[in-house]
Amino acid sequence: MRVGRWGPPVLFGVAALVAWQLVVVLAGIPSFLLPAPTAIAEQVGASVGVIVSTAAVTGGNALTGLVAGFVVGVALALLAARSRLVEALTTPVVLAASAVPIVALAPVFTTMFGSTTEVARRLVVAVVVVVPVFVSTARGLRQVQPVHADLMTALAATPWQASRFVRLPGAVPFIVTGLRLAAPAAVIAAIVAEYFGGQQNGLGSRISSAAANTAYARAWAFVVASIVLGLIFHLAGLLLERLATRTPR
């Protein structure tokens, strides 16, 4: 069953790599346009220590921003669910944040907080994460069954008690879905933020530095590490979603 599910994607990936290698070799494509997979693999093996350390920095920034953005997104959604005024104030601001490009935020935050700290990159990640978490959580908090709302009213429950015992438990599937969507986006935001100044200790910085020094296969090696890091975050979010939404036997 598992082989039947994962077999076709794996075979497709292997076939794509073989075709990539053949096209580069037979067509004589220069490395600055497209390095061969074998050259990239050699660089991965030769730079595995640097790749792991830089991936750890980028992953740490992504995780910190993900947690911060998740907490802020859920808190804002809870406040918006309790007050129409707060909802009218926060919803447009959060949605407007989704339209702000990362390339505009990263240089501004780097200038504000300095280039010797990771605060700017983590803030960029947090801003990116807040949007899907807030939207998904707010949607879940509105999915309250009328009978449950009437029960809370009959029991004279406070707004906090209603949120704690009815809204939040019912919104859990929506909350973890927002987290799953935000997890890979956090990695992307962290890598992009590293292009705009700051310490040269992350994957984004290494990619731009290697490309600037015409070490294109090495740059692609860091790209491969970025893909792997994004997959790890995606799979972790998917696992949390399945654990939170699985039905008890």
Side-chain angles (χ1 to χ4, degrees):
M1 189 73 176
R2 292 178 181 269
V3 175
R5 180 178 180 182
W6 294 103
V10 172
L11 290 176
F12 178 79
V14 172
L17 289 175
V18 172
W20 179 354
Q21 180 73 25
L22 291 175
V23 169
V24 171
V25 173
L26 296 178
I29 299 176
S31 61
F32 66 87
L33 289 180
L34 186 65
T38 52
I40 298 172
E42 290 176 2
Q43 287 297 319
V44 170
S47 309
V48 63
V50 177
I51 289 174
V52 171
S53 62
T54 53
V57 172
T58 301
N61 289 336
L63 182 60
T64 303
L66 177 63
V67 172
F70 175 77
V71 172
V72 172
V74 173
L76 289 176
L78 282 171
L79 292 174
R82 291 181 57 180
S83 170
R84 291 183 179 273
L85 177 61
V86 175
E87 180 181 11
L89 292 175
T90 57
T91 301
V93 174
V94 173
L95 295 180
S98 65
V100 179
I102 303 174
V103 295
L105 284 178
V108 172
F109 285 162
T110 300
T111 302
M112 290 173 60
F113 296 97
S115 59
T116 59
T117 176
E118 302 292 344
V119 174
R121 297 167 178 176
R122 294 171 180 176
L123 280 177
V124 171
V125 176
V127 171
V128 172
V129 168
V130 163
V131 178
V133 172
F134 173 83
V135 172
S136 186
T137 303
R139 181 182 177 188
L141 292 173
R142 289 194 292 265
Q143 306 296 318
V144 179
Q145 297 292 333
V147 63
H148 295 159
D150 293 341
L151 178 61
M152 289 293 99
T153 302
L155 294 175
T158 63
W160 166 244
Q161 290 173 328
S163 297
R164 178 183 177 185
F165 295 108
V166 175
R167 292 184 182 275
L168 269 178
V172 166
F174 295 87
I175 295 174
V176 293
T177 297
L179 179 62
R180 175 179 61 81
L181 296 174
V187 176
I188 296 173
I191 293 173
V192 173
E194 290 169 353
Y195 281 99
F196 301 94
Q199 303 181 67
Q200 301 293 306
N201 58 352
L203 289 173
S205 303
R206 294 288 183 169
I207 292 171
S208 60
S209 176
N213 292 317
T214 68
Y216 301 108
R218 184 179 174 87
W220 274 86
F222 287 109
V223 171
V224 171
S226 303
I227 294 172
V228 172
L229 183 62
L231 286 174
I232 291 173
F233 271 68
H234 172 71
L235 293 175
L238 186 62
L239 177 61
L240 288 175
E241 183 183 38
R242 290 188 175 181
L243 290 175
T245 58
R246 67 178 180 178
T247 55
R249 295 182 180 179

